[in-house]
Amino acid sequence: MRQGLSAVTMTALALGYAFLYVPILLLVAYSFNESKLVTVWAGFSLRWYGALFENQQLLAAAWVTLRLAVISATGALVLGTLAGVVLTRIGRFAGRTLFSGLVFAPLVMPEVITGLSLLLLFVALDWSRGPATMAIAHITFATAYVAVVVQARLATLDRSIEEAAMDLGARPAKTFFVITVPMIAPGLLAGWLLAFTLSLDDLVIASFTTGPEATTLPMYIYSKVRLGVTPEINAVSSILIGLVAIGVLIASVALKVSEERRQRDAQRAAAPRAAMVPR
Amino acid sequence: MTAREAVETSGAAERGRSVAAIRRLLPEEVRGALGRHFLIAVPFLWLGVFFLAPFLIVLKLSFSEVALAMPPYTPIAEWVDEAGSIHLRFTLNLSNYLLLVEDSLYRRSYLNSLGIAAVSTAVTLAIGFPIAYALTQVARRWRFALLMLAILPFWTSFLIRVYAWISILKTEGFLNQLLAWLGLISEPLQILNTNWAVYLGIVYSYLPFMVLPLYASLERIDVSLMEAAADLGCRPIKAFWVITVPLALPGVVAGSLLVFIPAVGEFVIPDLLGGSGSIMIGKTLWSEFFNNRDWPLSSGVAVILLVLLVVPIVLFQRLQLRRTVG
């Protein structure tokens, strides 16, 4: 009984999306502004984008950030998948409450606390701080997000397929890699991307856990923003927004297509069985 | 297949068989248990070392004193040589906590943070609920695109989204330009560097965290319940309050906690939008650490913040755990 959209829901959606998108669109639009004053339009120009590619400091920071994000996302994918499997496939075990607490707490833990505590650990261990310690920090907090995504995917999976593989003699590890991984692949992709963007965005935890040499892009942007808005920051922000938007759109369309194919296959597989059922 | 290849393949097969034979020597249950323990141990150890242990260090450090050294604090336990006998001396220093409780600046920081986070959470819920509800009413073929649009800002940089508001809110910014052009104001409004900007920043940044859990719980509501209510003569508005709202409650709680807890410790938003007049505890911790280099005091700040957040965090854990079991 879904009637057409009422005026109220239409308005709620229009206002909600305007609130979410107008600031971002303004930011992108004014990155093409000729003027050095960010809020006064003076004609179309690409000069700030040109300036980006001559800014060595910024390019170096971008390179550090990119490598950090790839390493952190990959590490978090492995750990988060293990945690997701433990939470959904292994029933009760001693310490399960503590385990799930450790997995989910980073989702809500204020970043200043996570950052400070990790820094104190690295100092206590006397590890020199830099890209490696930042990667450990990012893996630790992104694992929680991957675990949530993977666990959601595993929970909706039909377990009888895994059970069938094991009944036919496949070892649990083989069953996992041959049966489970392909079925949760979209979730794994989404988890990796999420961890990647979290690492790409992080300012607070990276500021605590970095050393004197390694500066990430958010740290560079933050140090510039504190001095005021500049069109160059608008330009670099627009590039980041564009890249993330394209990545997420491609991934989500891929997810949707694979989901639809899975449902179609399931229907097709169920059809002959349904025909055999006596009426 | 050449002879050599054949030999190599059979060699590999031979090796494979002997490995399998050795494996078979272990009873099935033992192998299963080993695998299980390994599976649990890897993430458990990682999180234990890099998430749990650091809190204990923070706790320890909060009882030490700031010192001009590297690392800049005094040890709380040290070996001392007194009159020839060597023993371990513990020095528990409570001055950090005394300062945090007695100094009105820190008290105000905590209260302000809790207040700002609570009000922002309520506003986010008031804005997020209609959006999430409207999303469940949209025709299926539009829903995917609209959901994507709601999630997309969640993926784009937090810092950049906060930065975007500076150009809007500052005195010569877009909002004041618009209001002046409409003739609503003659003097530009001072919004940036006030708490209004902090509220706005938190609501804006955390809105997706509210909409998604709300949508998830609203979407699960069986339409036939609403039909039954209508058949029995219940008016739609009453049905909404009696059926939809209670069934959406888990989403309301989850969304509110996802906004409230991190908002209390928020640093970027009060720092960039609130200016020097806006005092929130995340900012206080940051400046004690980076500007004053007082590691023990910032540890004390973190410990009290964590104590304040223990109840909501445990509540959130319960909710998550129930979802994995149920």
Side-chain angles (χ1 to χ4, degrees):
Chain A
M1 194 200 62
R2 293 261 152 101
Q3 305 137 343
L5 282 180
S6 72
V8 181
T9 49
M10 271 297 246
T11 324
L13 282 178
L15 286 177
Y17 284 97
F19 179 57
L20 283 176
Y21 280 94
V22 166
I24 296 176
L25 293 177
L26 277 173
L27 174 109
V28 174
Y30 276 77
S31 71
F32 297 107
N33 187 10
E34 171 71 38
S35 165
K36 205 170 170 53
L37 293 169
V38 170
T39 49
V40 183
W41 184 257
F44 181 86
S45 160
L46 287 174
R47 64 186 272 213
W48 305 113
Y49 287 88
L52 289 184
F53 293 98
E54 277 149 32
N55 186 337
Q56 291 304 324
Q57 218 186 340
L58 183 136
L59 292 178
W63 179 230
V64 169
T65 310
L66 191 66
R67 277 184 304 173
L68 176 65
V70 169
I71 293 168
S72 309
T74 311
L77 178 67
V78 174
L79 276 177
T81 308
L82 285 178
V85 170
V86 169
L87 285 170
T88 47
R89 288 296 185 264
I90 295 182
R92 310 233 160 252
F93 60 89
R96 189 177 197 274
T97 312
L98 177 66
F99 183 86
S100 71
L102 287 178
V103 171
F104 294 123
L107 288 177
V108 286
M109 190 58 66
E111 290 171 317
V112 282
I113 297 185
T114 313
L116 175 72
S117 62
L118 273 165
L119 168 86
L120 295 179
L121 174 80
F122 296 141
V123 170
L125 295 172
D126 203 15
W127 289 1
S128 74
R129 280 166 279 140
T133 48
M134 279 197 284
I136 290 175
H138 283 180
I139 290 173
T140 306
F141 90 99
T143 290
Y145 289 84
V146 177
V148 168
V149 174
V150 169
Q151 170 223 308
R153 195 84 192 171
L154 279 170
T156 58
L157 212 62
D158 186 355
R159 292 196 60 170
S160 58
I161 303 172
E162 291 169 359
E163 279 159 9
M166 287 200 266
D167 284 349
L168 293 171
R171 245 177 261 294
K174 182 160 189 184
T175 308
F176 179 75
F177 285 109
V178 176
I179 306 292
T180 315
V181 166
M183 286 169 76
I184 60 168
L188 297 180
L189 175 69
W192 190 90
L193 275 174
L194 187 54
F196 181 83
T197 53
L198 285 168
S199 169
L200 206 65
D201 285 355
D202 170 60
L203 166 74
V204 175
I205 295 175
S207 299
F208 275 102
T209 53
T210 190
E213 271 113 57
T215 302
T216 65
L217 200 52
M219 284 155 69
Y220 177 83
I221 293 177
Y222 174 72
S223 67
K224 293 283 164 199
V225 169
R226 293 213 54 156
L227 305 173
V229 284
T230 66
E232 223 178 335
I233 296 299
N234 279 36
V236 69
S237 302
S238 305
I239 293 179
L240 278 177
I241 292 172
L243 288 179
V244 169
I246 291 168
V248 172
L249 283 180
I250 291 175
S252 59
V253 169
L255 268 169
K256 193 171 148 76
V257 168
S258 86
E259 181 63 26
E260 277 166 359
R261 198 177 52 212
R262 199 169 67 103
Q263 277 175 1
R264 232 184 10 251
D265 287 351
Q267 272 169 6
R268 218 177 282 151
R273 227 186 304 158
M276 278 189 288
V277 175
R279 289 175 194 240
Chain B
M1 190 191 283
T2 64
R4 199 175 148 193
E5 272 172 342
V7 169
E8 272 174 9
T9 339
S10 76
E14 194 60 46
R15 252 198 323 276
R17 263 198 297 281
S18 52
V19 169
I22 294 168
R23 281 221 190 105
R24 237 172 279 130
L25 287 175
L26 292 168
E28 186 75 36
E29 307 83 67
V30 174
R31 265 187 284 137
L34 274 178
R36 242 176 61 131
H37 283 126
F38 177 76
L39 218 55
I40 298 172
V42 173
F44 217 156
L45 275 179
W46 180 283
L47 292 168
V49 172
F50 294 116
F51 193 73
L52 190 60
F55 287 128
L56 303 178
I57 300 178
V58 172
L59 188 64
K60 185 198 99 179
L61 204 59
S62 68
F63 289 108
S64 66
E65 223 173 323
V66 68
L68 274 175
M70 188 61 216
Y73 52 84
T74 58
I76 60 168
E78 60 185 333
W79 292 102
V80 285
D81 187 348
E82 259 172 26
S85 76
I86 296 171
H87 56 257
L88 193 61
R89 184 170 65 194
F90 287 97
T91 330
L92 278 194
N93 167 32
L94 292 174
S95 66
N96 295 315
Y97 288 104
L98 284 177
L99 181 67
L100 289 176
V101 174
E102 278 170 3
D103 193 317
S104 68
L105 172 79
Y106 297 106
R107 265 210 316 267
R108 269 217 344 260
S109 283
Y110 282 113
L111 292 177
N112 251 349
S113 300
L114 291 171
I116 288 178
V119 172
S120 310
T121 305
V123 176
T124 313
L125 179 62
I127 297 178
F129 199 97
I131 298 176
Y133 185 74
L135 275 172
T136 65
Q137 302 296 304
V138 173
R140 286 226 167 250
R141 67 202 145 97
W142 290 110
R143 212 181 290 177
F144 175 72
L146 284 171
L147 257 181
M148 272 314 304
L149 278 177
I151 299 171
L152 203 55
F154 166 80
W155 292 77
T156 50
S157 171
F158 194 78
L159 180 62
I160 292 174
R161 282 184 295 139
V162 173
Y163 167 74
W165 278 98
I166 299 179
S167 331
I168 297 178
L169 298 179
K170 56 184 198 167
T171 29
E172 66 276 31
F174 299 122
L175 184 64
N176 276 320
Q177 287 179 24
L178 177 73
L179 292 177
W181 181 74
L182 290 172
L184 292 174
I185 52 168
S186 50
E187 294 272 294
L189 297 174
Q190 173 68 45
I191 307 172
L192 192 66
N193 299 334
T194 66
N195 275 344
W196 292 108
V198 178
Y199 287 121
L200 196 63
I202 294 178
V203 171
Y204 177 73
S205 305
Y206 286 95
L207 191 57
F209 289 94
M210 182 66 89
V211 171
L212 290 182
L214 280 177
Y215 172 79
S217 64
L218 283 170
E219 203 225 357
R220 239 175 280 144
I221 296 175
D222 194 344
V223 189
S224 59
L225 288 175
M226 302 294 281
E227 289 170 357
D231 287 349
L232 294 170
C234 185
R235 282 182 310 132
I237 299 213
K238 188 171 177 200
F240 176 81
W241 284 110
V242 176
I243 297 170
T244 311
V245 171
L247 285 175
L249 211 57
V252 172
V253 176
S256 303
L257 291 173
L258 274 172
V259 176
F260 178 78
I261 303 170
V264 173
E266 184 55 50
F267 163 73
V268 174
I269 296 171
D271 188 61
L272 292 182
L273 300 181
S276 54
S278 146
I279 308 165
M280 277 181 84
I281 200 66
K283 237 178 97 177
T284 309
L285 194 157
W286 179 283
S287 67
E288 286 300 345
F289 184 85
F290 285 104
N291 306 343
N292 301 344
R293 290 188 59 81
D294 192 338
W295 294 18
L297 186 62
S298 29
S299 300
V301 172
V303 169
I304 296 190
L305 176 56
L306 211 54
V307 168
L308 289 175
L309 291 179
V310 145
V311 172
I313 289 177
V314 169
L315 209 62
F316 176 76
Q317 303 280 11
R318 285 268 172 85
L319 219 63
Q320 286 288 335
L321 197 61
R322 204 181 318 153
R323 274 204 358 222
T324 66
V325 176

